[in-house]
Amino acid sequence: MKKLLLASFLTLMGIPVLAQVPDTISFNETWLFKMYRSANVVPQNVMSANFDDSQWTFQMMPAQWRAIPQKWAKDNVVGVYRGWVKLLPEWANKSTRVMLHVGNSTAPMDIYVNGFKVGITSKYYATMEYDITKYLKKGRNLYTFIMSRWEKGETALLPGIISPSFIYRLKNGAEPVLSKIPDEVKNGKVNGIPVRIIDRLSVEPPTGWVESPKHTRRTIDLIKRLNYNAVAYNKASSENSFMEACENNGIAVVRAEAPTQECFIDERGQFTDAGLRALHQTQLLEAKLVDASHVQVKISNKDVYKDFKGLDLIWQLYANGHVIDHGSIPADLAHLSSREYAISCKQDEVPVNEELILKMIYQDHKSGDVFGYDLLVLRPYNASDAIAKGEAKTQQYSEMRKPKLIDKEMLEVTCDDYTVTFDKTTGYLTKYTLFNHHYLTGIRPAVSCHLNNITVSKPDKKKPTVVVVHYKGDGDTRDFTMTYSISLSGVLTVSITNNTSIQLDYTPYMDQLEYYAKGDITPIYSRKYNSMVADVKWWEQMEASGYGLRLISKEGFGIIPGKTKTQMTIVPTVKNFALNLFRR
């Protein structure tokens, strides 16, 4: 009964049991162990039988090392394992060969039997096997493993021998069982099937692992949840038991590197931020534009396991950020398949100088669950044309008169159509009114700085009035300049140097907004405070009546919403940035 239980245990641990228990001896025990600060101080006779290890501590195998002394934190520490294993009498005959199976180590490791070096483990494979028959003697035999904390060019924060090691015998001329051979990847496919490759270490806690069926099942479950169907063949994945489990679960082990080595699981076995992104933000349905003029799109299901049935392909056509047409197409997509669809929409009715975006939304017909969306550019955005149209629209309502300059406690540029006011002590814009509507209560730098000087050009009936504000940066902030160009129609252009962010404060009733950003056509209200909207094409801030301002830049810009809907920070995308403000 005891033999049966031990055989079952060894089988669970991935240790081959050929005929009976004595054919395998496990090294899963506590070993004598000592750390040395570097290879230079490791005694040359540490692998000899008469070496004094009486003051050594203990280390489990397989397991990662205990904590490394803080003063050695940056050193390539060397760990030495020593242990005596008795050779069974049944093994000591001429017809028996004894094989040493060495488990996965986090760095290459020198292996000694009775003081003789039998080999060094490879950087690339989890396990190695050696015929140690000629090094053995009757009775007790000394095994010594010497491994560094890391190999040159690599780091291992928690090193160790982290999968099972053992010896086993081969009787009557039997040969060792060969390790499984990984699959070859050709043009991103294995046997004609597209593969997504992950490194096993991405889904293993940094503390490493001890091989067991339960642990392997958990690892494979994580790999499948993250939508991978292939594992890179390396020292973490070349155990036969793991490769067999992958094969039985439809996962290939391939001789290729994974695109990312990001860690998806932490030491508690929970998803890291990278893991959560991979789990929740990897879009499995994807659209690509095949023909822009005829609006032909190709929808691909990138899920390596799941078929999407009963799917609604909801489409929306945007012209300069506004929905002008929409519809839906039913679809079924098998895993790793693609299909083309023709979208019948009103793209030909839109003027040629307006940008057209087709938004594809993937929704389950029954549940209403949304699996993601894509934005396809049918016609690119023309910022210069948008700015010219904004200026022309504002000029329609303006008398284009020469402004007045009032230079008292405040600096004010004003005429019948607009008023722009600056605080002379800070250089901040404190008021912007256009056509009797008060829009802004502030434009100021969003960095730590102080005013150096402020200058203003003489008002002219033929050209804009220009206010130039020079700032000295505080601390690490570089000096920069803000330039306000006020056209005769009241159009305000704010230019700023050195990638400096600026803050805009609207009047309290300017709490309605719309915007158009590359890769994102969603209400800002669903966003958290300080969550930036990237690559904004235009931004409209308005009051309930519809009056408001449109912000446009040729370079595009980012916006960080403030604590209220009437406050925001503009993040430039270039060193010298210009923002245009028009009447909506």
Side-chain angles (χ1 to χ4, degrees):
M1 183 65 181
K2 289 183 178 179
K3 290 183 177 181
L4 180 60
L5 290 174
L6 183 55
S8 300
F9 170 75
L10 293 173
T11 302
L12 287 173
M13 294 303 295
I15 300 171
V17 181
L18 304 181
Q20 55 185 357
V21 174
D23 285 340
T24 302
I25 299 176
S26 172
F27 282 11
N28 294 356
E29 301 288 348
T30 302
W31 287 64
L32 287 166
F33 182 77
K34 183 177 176 65
M35 291 185 198
Y36 294 91
R37 189 162 190 170
S38 70
N40 296 331
V41 297
V42 177
Q44 293 185 356
N45 65 335
V46 72
M47 70 290 296
S48 66
N50 59 2
F51 181 82
D52 183 9
D53 55 17
S54 60
Q55 301 302 311
W56 284 27
T57 56
F58 298 97
Q59 171 70 48
M60 280 297 298
M61 185 193 299
Q64 292 187 301
W65 298 353
R66 60 185 182 276
I68 294 172
Q70 184 61 35
K71 60 183 179 181
W72 295 357
K74 297 183 179 180
D75 295 319
N76 192 8
V77 177
V78 174
V80 182
Y81 301 76
R82 281 170 56 93
W84 295 86
V85 180
K86 184 179 180 180
L87 183 68
L88 298 176
E90 296 88 347
W91 293 26
N93 59 69
K94 292 182 179 180
S95 64
T96 298
R97 294 166 61 196
V98 180
M99 304 297 295
L100 170 61
H101 176 103
V102 183
N104 175 21
S105 59
T106 55
M109 177 170 59
D110 293 323
I111 303 162
Y112 294 85
V113 177
N114 291 325
F116 295 98
K117 186 172 183 178
V118 299
I120 181 171
T121 60
S122 168
K123 167 183 175 181
Y124 298 101
Y125 304 101
T127 60
M128 298 290 287
E129 290 195 347
Y130 307 92
D131 187 339
I132 59 172
T133 308
K134 65 181 180 180
Y135 304 111
L136 296 175
K137 60 185 181 180
K138 293 181 181 180
R140 297 167 73 240
N141 291 269
L142 174 65
Y143 294 83
T144 308
F145 303 92
I146 305 174
M147 68 170 291
S148 299
R149 182 182 179 188
W150 60 66
E151 189 179 28
K152 185 177 180 181
E154 293 187 343
T155 59
L157 298 180
L158 295 170
I161 302 171
I162 49 180
S163 68
S165 300
F166 49 89
I167 56 175
Y168 66 96
R169 66 169 174 168
L170 297 170
K171 298 182 294 184
N172 302 321
E175 292 296 324
V177 179
L178 296 176
S179 297
K180 285 187 170 293
I181 299 174
D183 294 310
E184 297 294 337
V185 179
K186 295 182 179 180
N187 299 320
K189 298 180 179 180
V190 172
N191 298 324
I193 300 174
V195 290
R196 297 185 73 240
I197 306 170
I198 191 172
D199 193 311
R200 185 184 180 185
L201 292 176
S202 293
V203 291
E204 295 291 348
T207 50
W209 64 91
V210 176
E211 207 61 72
S212 71
K214 181 178 179 180
H215 183 91
T216 300
R217 284 195 300 270
R218 177 183 174 278
T219 302
I220 288 176
D221 177 62
L222 291 172
I223 290 171
K224 296 179 78 169
R225 285 181 64 190
L226 292 167
N227 195 43
Y228 289 93
N229 61 346
V231 180
Y233 181 71
N234 54 32
K235 61 187 178 183
S237 59
S238 59
E239 282 277 4
N240 271 6
S241 58
F242 180 75
M243 293 181 70
E244 287 176 359
C246 287
E247 183 180 336
N248 294 335
N249 284 273
I251 297 175
V253 180
V254 298
R255 198 183 296 277
E257 289 190 7
T260 178
Q261 278 75 44
E262 278 192 293
C263 183
F264 296 148
I265 301 293
D266 63 20
E267 64 275 4
R268 298 167 297 172
Q270 298 178 357
F271 281 109
T272 62
D273 289 343
L276 290 172
R277 286 196 301 271
L279 185 65
H280 298 298
Q281 297 183 9
T282 299
Q283 187 163 294
L284 301 175
L285 292 166
E286 179 183 73
K288 289 188 178 180
L289 190 62
V290 177
D291 186 338
S293 60
H294 296 91
V295 197
Q296 190 87 4
V297 298
K298 180 180 181 180
I299 310 294
S300 300
N301 177 6
K302 298 188 295 182
D303 196 308
V304 297
Y305 303 105
K306 178 182 177 181
D307 298 336
F308 284 94
K309 295 183 179 180
L311 192 67
D312 285 334
L313 304 179
I314 300 172
W315 58 267
Q316 297 171 342
L317 183 65
Y318 285 77
N320 278 0
H322 297 286
V323 178
I324 62 168
D325 200 2
H326 61 90
S328 177
I329 301 173
D332 290 326
L333 285 169
H335 66 282
L336 296 176
S337 67
S338 300
R339 184 177 174 184
E340 292 188 9
Y341 297 88
I343 308 294
S344 179
C345 58
K346 300 177 181 178
Q347 79 275 16
D348 294 333
E349 300 178 16
V350 180
V352 294
N353 60 348
E354 292 192 13
E355 181 182 43
L356 282 178
I357 292 288
L358 184 69
K359 181 175 183 178
M360 301 297 304
I361 305 170
Y362 316 114
Q363 184 174 16
D364 184 89
H365 182 75
K366 290 184 178 180
S367 68
D369 293 340
V370 175
F371 302 114
Y373 70 87
D374 280 303
L375 301 177
L376 306 176
V377 179
L378 303 182
R379 190 186 301 159
Y381 184 72
N382 188 327
S384 297
D385 182 71
I387 291 172
K389 288 176 66 176
E391 290 176 344
K393 184 176 181 179
T394 305
Q395 289 174 6
Q396 292 177 1
Y397 301 94
S398 173
E399 298 183 12
M400 305 288 286
R401 293 180 179 178
K402 176 183 176 181
K404 298 178 183 178
L405 178 64
I406 301 174
D407 189 357
K408 295 182 179 179
E409 294 181 358
M410 305 290 282
L411 182 65
E412 187 173 273
V413 180
T414 184
C415 75
D416 293 342
D417 296 330
Y418 62 86
T419 297
V420 186
T421 305
F422 297 87
D423 186 328
K424 292 171 65 175
T425 62
T426 62
Y428 298 168
L429 183 149
T430 58
K431 182 179 181 181
Y432 178 47
T433 63
L434 184 63
F435 305 125
N436 298 318
H437 286 276
H438 187 186
Y439 294 127
L440 289 172
T441 61
I443 299 180
R444 54 192 172 89
V447 297
S448 179
C449 61
H450 60 274
L451 179 66
N452 188 5
N453 61 68
I454 181 171
T455 61
V456 59
S457 66
K458 183 178 179 181
D460 190 289
K461 63 181 180 179
K462 293 184 178 181
K463 59 184 180 180
T465 303
V466 179
V467 178
V468 181
V469 187
H470 298 280
Y471 288 97
K472 295 285 289 183
D474 296 336
D476 295 332
T477 304
R478 293 175 294 178
D479 298 349
F480 61 93
T481 300
M482 291 185 68
T483 303
Y484 300 85
S485 176
I486 308 162
S487 74
L488 296 177
S489 63
V491 171
L492 180 63
T493 301
V494 184
S495 303
I496 191 162
T497 62
N498 285 336
N499 288 102
T500 308
S501 298
I502 55 177
Q503 181 174 314
L504 270 65
D505 295 295
Y506 292 90
T507 51
Y509 46 84
M510 292 274 288
D511 59 356
Q512 308 295 311
L513 60 89
E514 292 182 9
Y515 72 96
Y516 176 38
K518 181 180 178 181
D520 196 356
I521 309 175
T522 55
I524 192 66
Y525 309 120
S526 63
R527 295 179 170 273
K528 293 181 179 180
Y529 171 55
N530 275 349
S531 176
M532 187 172 79
V533 184
D535 200 4
V536 176
K537 300 300 186 183
W538 56 256
W539 185 285
E540 290 183 349
Q541 196 90 12
M542 67 206 91
E543 56 190 53
S545 63
Y547 287 101
L549 291 178
R550 169 175 276 214
L551 280 56
I552 303 177
S553 173
K554 290 182 179 180
E555 297 83 10
F557 53 97
I559 282 189
I560 301 176
K563 295 181 179 179
T564 67
K565 295 179 182 179
T566 60
Q567 185 183 76
M568 68 182 65
T569 299
I570 307 291
V571 182
T573 55
V574 293
K575 183 176 181 179
N576 297 310
F577 174 75
L579 182 69
N580 301 273
L581 289 79
F582 305 107
R583 180 182 186 274
R584 180 182 181 273

